[in-house]
Amino acid sequence: MATIRDRDYLLDRAGVIFKVIGDVHPGTHFLGYVKYYPDARGDRLLFGRTYRQNSVVSKAFGILADRPECYLYSPTVGCVITGVPREDIATHYSCRQTLATLHQTPGLLATTPVGKDLLAVIDWIAAAGAMDVIGVTGSFLVGACNARSDIDLVCYGPRGYEAAQALFAERTLIRPYEGETLTRLYLRRAKYMVGGSFDALMRQEARKLQGLTAGAGAHINCEPLRADGDKTFAGVVAKEVGAISVLARITDHSEGLVTPALYGIEVDTVTESTVDEPSVFARRITHLRSYLGAYTGAFRTGDVVYLSGRLVHIQGPGAHDGFGIELTPWSAAESFLANLTR
């Protein structure tokens, strides 16, 4: 059985498909959220049943309300999250193995224009010798794609990142967002606009691996993940103190180019906080940790960003012990944000 990696999918015995989040998991569960689930109101057909897509992580709590065994506390993340019990896993969908399967059976992709675009991308990846460091996730991973689907790729480690950069520079396959298409990108990202301007958001988005396919004009992106065997967060324990919003300067982005992203930061101003004496914590906050792929690779050293997230104290191996701000998708109360301001 292939190693279960971040952004792989898991089908459980109840027919629910989970998207795996992170690479550090307890012995009982794989952490993740519900991506597809049986629902007559859905528009996807899987296993002869109608499925509904879920794109809001916190909604997984409600979807799993009758299955409390899928709720668990994660010391690594520092909060209650969702996950699939290991004994309930029926099928593992590997991003890398699926990419290889689609390359070997191109007929699976020939039915839609976006599928044909993905096939051309896969052919390029194979020719570049990068099949072992790039995978496909999203709807194409489980065959839930349709004519409106995006193409969601992942890449692993430094070599995968370099290959993905070369892929997204190949203009015969992928066009950048520019000119009138910037409005289309803005409409996709408008929910991230709090605390930032249109120009700053576009500058932030331009740093990511994303664009439009040359044929169908479908959105395509690639999320850089940590290399196989990466132990950055192994043994890390996070304790939530409260919630905090700040203006901060990025002091180190070297670990922020992959998911989960880890940025060094220096807080300039606290704008809101649920803890008393926030200034006491402000000077002790040294890093930003994000499980939200939207902020991977988005910032560079010297950037000033608006952050709204969980104030946590982190202990563990490495140089990032101490207080930090964490962005986690498992928040039903509010949306955690990180936006470039200048």
Side-chain angles (χ1 to χ4, degrees), residues 159-192:
R159 190 165 70 85
Y161 188 75
E162 291 176 5
Q165 284 183 309
L167 168 62
F168 278 76
E170 181 53 67
R171 293 293 175 258
T172 61
L173 297 174
I174 300 171
R175 295 181 285 108
Y177 279 101
E178 57 188 6
E180 293 182 357
T181 61
L182 283 176
T183 301
R184 178 175 167 183
L185 179 61
Y186 166 74
L187 293 175
R188 293 182 68 94
R189 306 302 190 198
K191 62 182 177 181
Y192 303 127

Side-chain angles (χ1 to χ4, degrees), residues 196-221:
S197 67
F198 173 85
D199 289 341
L201 180 64
M202 291 299 98
R203 184 155 56 95
Q204 175 179 324
E205 291 297 313
R207 294 166 172 170
K208 301 178 186 178
L209 296 169
Q210 62 183 345
L212 298 167
T213 61
H219 176 78
I220 179 171
N221 68 89

